[in-house]
Amino acid sequence: MDAGDMGTDLKEVLISEERLRQRVTELAARIDADYAGRDLLLVGVLKGAIMVMADLARAMHLPIQMDWMAVSSYGSGTQSSGVVRILKDLDTDISGRDVLVVEDIIDSGLTLSWLLSNLQSRGPASLEVCALLRKPDAAKVSIDVKYVGFDIANEFVVGYGLDYAEKYRNLPFVGTLAPHVYGG
């Protein structure tokens, strides 16, 4: 799928495929340096983090382990419901482990704040966050994010794992969704 396949559903390409690849490679190099000699577990947050987690892991040189969690607070809408549910929990015991949570996007921060509290209660040696995208203007809680790919405006974005009603995840870029699609 590319921009032409979206027709009028795409407002604009915000971050190109090339720029995404470049930034993920830069983040991987920083993480490699920061975690050299340590046993790192990447925890991807499904489904949106699939693309960034896969590309980040491939760009890294450390021997890493990966696990996945699925949490929900959105349903098929565009705004968080405020109620967080674990849909898929970790298969790995994180007690005493260095854990890096990989997120596609931080919007209000409410879901991630809940997730970090949940993971912290499991006794990791360290717990940090890597987010491809962050919307500073949408933040409702302050979260310390060690690795940020891009700060973006408070617009509805899709592509590179991000979706609207489970569509558009397979775009190789991040784009803004035209308001007529979601009634915005």
Side-chain angles (χ1 to χ4, degrees), residues 31-40 62-63 98:
I31 294 165
D32 276 340
D34 290 350
Y35 288 92
R38 293 162 69 185
D39 184 24
L40 181 61
L62 288 176
D98 290 309

Side-chain angles (χ1 to χ4, degrees), residues 39-146:
D39 184 24
L40 181 61
L41 173 68
L42 298 182
V43 172
V45 182
L46 293 171
K47 297 176 187 169
I50 287 174
M51 305 296 187
V52 66
M53 176 103 147
D55 288 348
L56 183 69
R58 283 191 297 250
M60 292 177 68
H61 297 282
L62 288 176
I64 56 158
Q65 291 180 325
M66 295 189 289
D67 202 346
W68 299 91
M69 282 189 85
V71 294
S72 176
S73 66
Y74 281 85
S76 62
T78 61
Q79 303 250 338
S80 176
S81 68
V83 177
V84 180
R85 297 180 308 140
I86 294 178
L87 304 176
K88 186 234 176 274
D89 206 343
L90 295 174
D91 297 322
T92 308
D93 178 6
I94 65 169
S95 177
R97 300 285 307 270
D98 290 309
V99 177
L100 180 62
V101 174
V102 179
E103 269 280 25
D104 54 349
I105 190 166
I106 301 173
D107 205 321
S108 70
L110 294 171
T111 302
L112 182 58
S113 176
W114 181 91
L115 179 62
L116 291 173
S117 177
N118 179 287
L119 293 174
Q120 192 64 51
S121 74
R122 302 179 193 199
S126 68
L127 180 62
E128 299 290 352
V129 176
C130 175
L132 178 67
L133 305 172
R134 178 175 60 182
K135 294 180 179 179
D137 293 341
K140 293 186 177 169
V141 294
S142 178
I143 295 174
D144 183 26
V145 181
K146 189 166 186 176

Side-chain angles (χ1 to χ4, degrees), residues 14 105 134-138 150-157 176:
L14 191 62
I105 190 166
R134 178 175 60 182
K135 294 180 179 179
D137 293 341
F150 303 92
D151 281 328
I152 62 170
N154 191 13
E155 294 187 273
F156 198 85
V157 292
T176 52

